[in-house]
Amino acid sequence: MTSCLNPYLSFDGDARQAMEFYEEVFGGTLTLNTYASFGGSPGPDADKIMHGMLETPSGFTLMGADAPPGTEHTPGNAYSISLSGDDDAELRGYWTKLSAGGTVDVALEKQMWGDVFGMCRDRFGVSWMVNIGEPRS
């Protein structure tokens, strides 16, 4: 197996909803494991997500989990997930779904460098960048 770099997102109790949302956006196979399914003790955190992984038909892998019990969830603004390519319809479809119910920071439109680009935060506060380039001939 080759090495991979995968985004791993942390949530404050809504990892299940977020990962199911990303499954709707990107398609693919979603695996969710709760703290209870990994032998955690019963209690208020038993049904929270200890590890979630979405593998998509486009080859994306997105992971996420609820913050571990007893740790503080501190959302950050020091990262964005970038989607880029030249498949206009596919990338615009992702943009439409990700930005719905969220905040558009930069409208998805042609930029000075020639590509179509936009930035948004989805309804879970995750920052996304979408860049649509011209198809290479």
Side-chain angles (χ1 to χ4, degrees):
M1 177 178 165
T2 59
S3 297
C4 298
L5 177 66
N6 301 317
Y8 203 114
L9 306 174
S10 179
F11 299 94
D12 191 23
D14 56 359
R16 178 181 302 279
Q17 294 87 346
M19 295 302 290
E20 288 172 348
F21 169 69
Y22 300 134
E23 180 184 29
E24 290 174 19
V25 171
F26 298 110
T29 303
L30 177 62
T31 304
L32 296 173
N33 298 293
T34 64
Y35 284 97
S37 69
F38 277 111
S41 59
D45 296 320
D47 289 331
K48 288 187 177 180
I49 302 303
M50 182 176 172
H51 176 72
M53 182 168 70
L54 176 64
E55 296 177 291
T56 76
S58 295
F60 305 153
T61 299
L62 181 63
M63 298 180 187
D66 288 310
T71 62
E72 183 178 343
H73 178 260
T74 308
N77 61 358
Y79 69 90
S80 293
I81 300 175
S82 176
L83 298 169
S84 58
D86 61 11
D87 188 327
D88 188 86
E90 178 182 46
L91 291 163
R92 284 183 187 275
Y94 295 151
W95 170 265
T96 299
K97 293 174 185 176
L98 289 166
S99 62
T103 303
V104 173
D105 298 313
V106 175
L108 184 67
E109 57 191 24
K110 192 160 186 114
Q111 301 297 324
M112 66 180 110
W113 61 88
D115 292 350
V116 173
F117 175 83
M119 293 175 60
C120 69
R121 278 176 284 135
D122 68 27
R123 64 185 187 207
F124 298 97
V126 175
S127 296
W128 294 87
M129 298 185 298
V130 175
N131 191 88
I132 306 168
E134 292 293 322
R136 294 183 183 169
S137 40

